[in-house]
Amino acid sequence: MNSDISFPSHRGNRFYQGMAATFVANAIQAVNFLGDRFLRKSHHSSTVIKDLYRHSMDSAFSVTEAFLVTGAPHASAYYPRDFAWFYPDVLDPETIMDAQDAVRRVRLLEKSVRLLLEAVRADVVTTTIVPAGRGRYLGVNYFSRPSDTLLGILAGLQQMISAEERASSYLAMSQCGHAGRLLLAEYGVDLKRAILQLASELEPFDREEARYLLCDASAPRSAATDTRAERRRFVTNACVYTTFVWGVQLGVVDENELKRLMGRDLAQYKKDLLRLFGKDGYIRHSLDGTAGSPVSSVALDFVSVHRGFWDMNDASERALFAATTDLIIAEPRFRIPSTFHFLVSADNPRNKMIHKIAAPAYQGRSSWPTFNVEFADRMLDFDEFSGSNTYRACAQGILKDIRTATEVHGGYQELISEQGLKYRTWAYKGAVAHSWFPRFLSVWRRAYGTPLLQWND
């Protein structure tokens, strides 16, 4: 494969949204799930992690792919958030097998980010983009409007632009950095418009004689684990804060413009969120939850995203993180027995009808390995900034058990049931999350100090 990469523009793409688009998108996705239910073939049979990784990377970054997806049954739809939540490290040089692998990753990342930026230009900022024929895409929100779509797009851009800063011998990395800067220059105005629109949608929320700003004060907003259909969630608001911070860091928007819209600077905005959601001494998952024990009020998705809400610079912030982490570690209902696999929550969340039929516990009583990886990474962040060794052993335990599950189940799973088995429901047979695998290797290297896998290019 030629290592000199060209990045063609795709000017013929069209984007649609509305009731008709949603109907067609739902029909397409129903066919996708049915096809997965009855036609999914068995996966790679090897249990050697190096073979599993090579197979996963060949699948995730195949030259035939049009977009970076996970490998799940709904993977024919594109989820912008995933670039922040689930695969923020596909260009880590230590996870790249050879020069051809680097070229494939860079090409696919550029194609994917460009498509998402074209959607923003068309004013289609949704949780999900469903391909509907040659150059036609349907934007649809399955449960609620997004809080983290722009975050994912910015994460993809950040990854491209910072590629050439990584110590790597691959020419593709420097070419990716150049392509990322070109995309930022081409679509920066469209991104700025969308970010300012998001800031203008923040709503006042009064609590105990103080006024806060929330993105979901009156209606749910989507983020990872969005089918909870809850308002006033920590994770949705943490995503919005991070979107603003990343927008400023990339030079897309000036902080003073955000301050004029919000009536406060970003530092104060973050302090307000921590005070509101952390008033009990730990980070409450949602302000709308019923009163109960602390462990029933927290959820694993509080860890947010890589280089996201938690920067651990402030002692009070570290204290809130530690208190929430300790609740999750100590509660048996959060853990698959005899493992360091943590479930999303101790109690099953509110489910919509489709999840009661097709995918019960998808957002609650199941383990998302990628959330566990981020949990481990935040633990390492805490130890680094506190100068302690508080959570390293737990972080290593999380990663060790994910490796074991990968070898037992024949690949990096998207979900694991609360019994520690492949997540299987009538409409969800247990997907292998190919493109999430590199992030696991990156955090493994950080936790153990040595890479799990090494490649000889």
Side-chain angles (χ1 to χ4, degrees), residues 231 322 375 433:
R231 300 179 304 165
F375 194 24

Side-chain angles (χ1 to χ4, degrees), residues 347-358:
D347 301 298
N348 229 16
R350 186 185 323 173
N351 281 325
K352 290 189 175 253
M353 184 60 68
I354 188 173
H355 298 101
K356 293 178 181 178
I357 296 171

